[in-house]
Amino acid sequence: MTLDSKLPSGPIETAWQRTRFDLKLVNPANKRRHSIIVVGSGLAGGSAAATLGELGYNVRCFCFQDSPRRAHSIAAQGGINAAKNYQNDGDSVYRLFYDTVKGGDFRAREANVYRLAEISVSIIDQCVAQGVPFAREYGGALTNRSFGGAQVSRTFYARGQTGQQLLLGAYQALERQVHEGTVTMYPRTEMLDLIVIDGRARGIVTRNLITGELDVHIADAVILGTGGYGNVYYLSTNAKGSNVTASWRAHRRGALFANPCYTQIHPTCIPVSGDYQSKLTLMSESLRNDGRIWVPVKKGDKRSPDQIPESERDYYLERRYPSFGNLVPRDVASRNAKAVCDEGRGVGETGLGVYLDFSDAIKRLGRHVISERYGNLFDMYQRITDEDPYKVPMRIYPAIHYTMGGLWVDYHLQSTIPGLFVLGEANFSDHGANRLGASALMQGLSDGYFVIPYTIGNYLATNKFPKADASHPEAQAAVASVRQITDKLLSIKGHRTVDSFHRELGKIMWDECGMSRTAEGLKKAIGQIRALREEFWQNVNVPGSGDDLNQSLEKAGRVADFFELGELMCIDALERNESCGGHFREEYQTAEGEAQRDDEHYSYVAAWGYRGPGNAPELIKEPLEFDYVHPSQRSYK
């Protein structure tokens, strides 16, 4: 297989405008004749379904939650980037493009990133028109704050709940189309397979999570906006329901999976507190605007923070990176936190934590200002830890947060299966090896509101769609495949719970394919994952039946997919003999401990093809070319 990324030629500044002009259009009257399936109702899926419905297409939107408002996009806290330059501090579309390519450690396509930066300015206008309550200056103008990897203030925010407010905007637009009859919602419904007819994506198999009923849905095109796969690590900042199943079942049907080893560790999360914790809690990166990160200078210093004088504190990010200070990119901040904890200077009972201290900001600005900016985050922290961050520093430690890898897509956001489009975190396209803070919301809304309406129209206008229904042999084969997996999981009747397997898998992934990786550790992890997966299929216990609500069955199917994905992640990390962004191989680092890329051998997208159970995946490479932002050793000093 060869990859055609459909990248436009000519100047990058006009590439998207020229592409839009060249794309074929669907007549307004003909749009009513086309049906589109959208899986996922977060910012990417919800905005796509709303926009396509408003254009006149017949849209069916599926989510496994009871309401689109419960999509994990709601959990995003800090903000959304846009190159508006309202602060007059030197920002521009080109600077956002440059920062994003550099922040991703030169492992993203330039054309995709430039389009994202270009569209960012329209996203803010769209959301303000929807009534999203972005923070404003006293006089009423929209205000901004800074995020990691940038020296300008370009992040728009709604306190510490930006994702919630943006999702409510998309949800209102979506529900308007539901009312108009152009969108039909299917809540509490999970996609379990992709239906491919004559080489094209034509539908999905779903399970009603309340009744257990399997259904076939046929359409002219399928869109996945199903988020990332961070829960392969068990402990992550993702919602417990977040999973890879929709993407992975599409992968098994022929969609290539790109850069699976590119995972993001967020530096500001509440540390793990016990062996039986089920998830981790994010503390927004925006806190690094006013919070200062430090650890004691002395190893093993167990004094309370207020007893440690200024001269015995190491503000290590400010010391090592004076130009960016506490606002270095996430991968850099996370590795430095791990390094000081590995030295024995971590804080808290476990020693796996660093301080995020707001005392200077409170003295400078007053408690009321800090409360206005971060009040809900401070309240959340206090409820979880029983410590008051207005009085004592927060304790934070890196945790899995986001995944830059995902299904491979071209410039039109189409996967290697014609008719299957992938949006937001579910695709791999815009962030390279490390996403900058406040760019996830930007990408999801860019893909949903402003890209897919054009590119899917071109696909529909240039292809014919023979009539198909649930009786088609390919649809029946997909249903049989789903039923076989379900029956097998229910029939094992072993002695271990699904969660026990998931927890053990997550520990293997975190230890060997987490913040740092080695060839030896990755090889060991691959063997451990294969052995654990074999035990899973022989000893898992899934109580109940498939004919009604059965959350153990839901989890079992998702964990089965995580086993296969986890092995592929380790294979990808083992094959990439370099360090870049969130992929840090200990064998490949500079004398100062920074990531050391190998542009000569690894400047490509690693797209993996599924070749059946027990067979090694096939690697297909898409070379990356840089005509505008030339690769260099990243420096934030």
Side-chain angles (χ1 to χ4, degrees):
M1 181 187 294
T2 57
L3 295 174
D4 178 11
S5 55
K6 295 186 175 67
L7 294 179
S9 58
I12 199 170
E13 294 83 358
T14 57
W16 176 231
Q17 293 97 314
R18 286 183 283 106
T19 297
R20 282 188 298 176
F21 180 76
D22 292 338
L23 293 174
K24 302 297 183 184
L25 302 177
V26 179
N27 179 294
N30 289 338
K31 287 187 173 80
R32 294 190 294 272
R33 301 176 184 176
H34 288 290
S35 60
I36 300 171
I37 286 171
V38 179
V39 185
S41 61
L43 287 182
S47 61
T51 306
L52 294 170
E54 190 163 11
L55 286 171
Y57 294 106
N58 292 303
V59 180
R60 280 166 282 169
C61 184
F62 298 79
C63 67
F64 64 74
Q65 299 93 346
D66 58 357
S67 165
R69 290 177 297 173
R70 292 189 184 275
H72 186 56
S73 300
I74 203 169
Q77 297 173 351
I80 178 172
N81 287 330
K84 285 286 198 180
N85 195 32
Y86 283 168
Q87 303 303 316
N88 197 29
D89 56 359
D91 201 11
S92 64
V93 167
Y94 195 90
R95 185 172 293 279
L96 176 53
F97 159 64
Y98 173 88
D99 286 346
T100 305
V101 172
K102 177 184 174 184
D105 218 354
F106 306 95
R107 289 294 177 263
R109 293 190 196 124
E110 285 190 323
N112 286 69
V113 177
Y114 192 91
R115 176 176 66 187
L116 178 64
E118 178 184 351
I119 289 173
S120 71
V121 297
S122 299
I123 295 172
I124 303 304
D125 296 339
Q126 166 89 353
C127 294
V128 168
Q130 290 175 336
V132 173
F134 286 125
R136 294 177 180 267
E137 302 282 4
Y138 179 78
L142 293 173
T143 190
N144 299 100
R145 59 188 174 200
S146 298
F147 258 63
Q151 291 181 303
V152 297
S153 295
R154 62 163 69 102
T155 304
F156 295 79
Y157 64 96
R159 284 185 95 189
Q161 47 190 248
T162 313
Q164 181 187 49
Q165 300 305 321
L166 292 173
L167 184 61
L168 289 174
Y171 172 73
Q172 290 170 162
L174 176 62
E175 289 303 306
R176 176 172 174 265
Q177 296 309 311
V178 171
H179 178 73
E180 295 293 329
T182 61
V183 176
T184 303
M185 278 301 307
Y186 292 82
R188 303 296 288 146
T189 306
E190 182 171 25
M191 171 186 161
L192 293 180
D193 210 345
L194 180 72
I195 298 170
V196 180
I197 299 175
D198 297 328
R200 299 183 179 276
R202 290 297 306 274
I204 60 175
V205 177
T206 64
R207 179 175 182 269
N208 184 310
L209 298 182
I210 303 299
T211 66
E213 183 179 358
L214 299 182
D215 291 307
V216 169
H217 300 270
I218 299 294
D220 298 330
V222 177
I223 296 171
L224 299 185
T226 51
Y229 49 89
N231 273 349
V232 69
Y233 291 89
Y234 187 72
L235 287 177
S236 81
T237 65
N238 291 181
K240 287 297 290 178
S242 297
N243 64 84
V244 76
T245 289
S247 292
W248 193 255
R249 304 292 169 92
H251 173 59
R252 291 176 65 118
R253 290 290 178 185
L256 297 188
F257 208 105
N259 299 334
C261 77
Y262 288 169
T263 56
Q264 178 162 87
I265 317 291
H266 198 295
T268 53
C269 301
I270 298 177
V272 176
S273 59
D275 292 338
Y276 291 95
Q277 195 165 338
S278 63
K279 75 176 302 294
L280 298 174
T281 304
L282 173 70
M283 286 287 104
S284 170
E285 180 169 321
S286 62
L287 295 170
R288 290 197 273 150
N289 276 271
D290 291 305
R292 300 179 69 194
I293 296 174
W294 64 274
V295 292
V297 170
K298 298 176 185 176
K299 294 182 181 180
D301 192 337
K302 296 301 181 183
R303 289 177 292 174
S304 62
D306 61 318
Q307 297 298 314
I308 301 176
E310 195 74 14
S311 61
E312 296 180 33
R313 300 180 179 188
D314 180 13
Y315 296 90
Y316 57 89
L317 291 178
E318 298 174 22
R319 170 174 56 82
R320 293 197 64 186
Y321 308 97
S323 293
F324 283 75
N326 294 296
L327 287 173
V328 293
R330 291 174 175 177
D331 60 320
V332 177
S334 295
R335 279 197 295 274
N336 276 270
K338 180 180 185 297
V340 295
C341 290
D342 288 348
E343 292 171 6
R345 296 195 287 145
V347 302
E349 291 183 11
T350 64
L352 295 177
V354 299
Y355 287 129
L356 181 60
D357 194 336
F358 293 88
S359 57
D360 287 351
I362 291 172
K363 290 175 186 174
R364 184 178 73 252
L365 301 169
R367 174 170 171 154
H368 68 286
V369 173
I370 298 301
S371 177
E372 286 175 359
R373 293 177 180 177
Y374 315 113
N376 66 307
L377 299 172
F378 277 44
D379 292 344
M380 187 191 310
Y381 181 87
Q382 184 165 11
R383 281 196 298 270
I384 292 171
T385 66
D386 198 28
E387 296 175 1
D388 185 353
Y390 291 105
K391 298 177 180 178
V392 296
M394 288 183 178
R395 287 177 294 107
I396 57 168
Y397 193 69
I400 292 291
H401 177 61
Y402 186 90
T403 53
M404 286 74 67
L407 293 180
W408 184 93
V409 293
D410 59 21
Y411 190 67
H412 295 181
L413 303 183
Q414 184 171 230
S415 73
T416 49
I417 300 176
L420 177 65
F421 295 80
V422 191
L423 315 184
E425 190 178 356
N427 75 33
F428 87 101
S429 64
D430 291 353
H431 306 295
N434 175 67
R435 178 177 66 78
L436 292 185
S439 289
L441 306 182
M442 175 173 63
Q443 186 206 350
L445 294 181
S446 168
D447 290 354
Y449 283 137
F450 296 104
V451 179
I452 196 64
Y454 292 96
T455 59
I456 203 169
N458 178 75
Y459 172 77
L460 296 172
T462 55
N463 287 282
K464 297 186 183 300
F465 302 94
K467 187 176 180 180
D469 57 27
S471 65
H472 193 283
E474 294 293 348
Q476 288 302 303
V479 171
S481 175
V482 170
R483 187 166 282 121
Q484 180 184 20
I485 294 172
T486 301
D487 292 344
K488 185 174 182 180
L489 288 168
L490 290 168
S491 68
I492 297 170
K493 304 295 183 185
H495 298 92
R496 289 187 61 179
T497 65
V498 176
D499 278 348
S500 74
F501 280 105
H502 193 182
R503 187 188 302 273
E504 188 172 344
L505 170 65
K507 187 173 190 319
I508 294 170
M509 295 299 297
W510 177 253
D511 289 346
E512 309 299 350
C513 195
M515 261 195 287
S516 64
R517 299 116 186 234
T518 65
E520 180 183 0
L522 291 165
K523 290 175 183 176
K524 182 175 78 171
I526 291 169
Q528 290 176 324
I529 292 169
R530 288 172 177 168
L532 189 62
R533 181 173 67 228
E534 186 175 345
E535 183 188 352
F536 173 86
W537 285 107
Q538 295 175 355
N539 197 32
V540 72
N541 187 297
V542 181
S545 75
D547 299 328
D548 55 13
L549 175 66
N550 189 338
Q551 291 186 319
S552 290
L553 178 60
E554 297 168 29
K555 289 192 287 187
R558 296 166 187 171
V559 172
D561 294 331
F562 279 142
F563 274 118
E564 296 184 4
L565 169 66
E567 181 179 344
L568 181 62
M569 289 169 65
C570 293
I571 291 171
D572 186 39
L574 182 61
E575 189 276 337
R576 188 170 285 277
N577 293 312
E578 65 164 354
S579 292
C580 55
H583 168 63
F584 190 76
R585 284 279 298 273
E586 292 181 13
E587 307 97 313
Y588 307 101
Q589 56 183 300
T590 67
E592 296 179 323
E594 304 291 353
Q596 188 170 55
R597 296 193 321 273
D598 181 352
D599 293 333
E600 182 180 352
H601 298 104
Y602 293 98
S603 185
Y604 61 76
V605 175
W608 296 90
Y610 182 75
R611 299 171 69 180
N615 296 320
E618 178 185 9
L619 173 60
I620 299 156
K621 301 176 182 178
E622 179 200 341
L624 292 171
E625 298 180 2
F626 296 91
D627 299 320
Y628 294 86
V629 184
H630 298 290
S632 60
Q633 177 64 42
R634 283 193 309 168
S635 175
Y636 294 94
K637 294 184 179 299

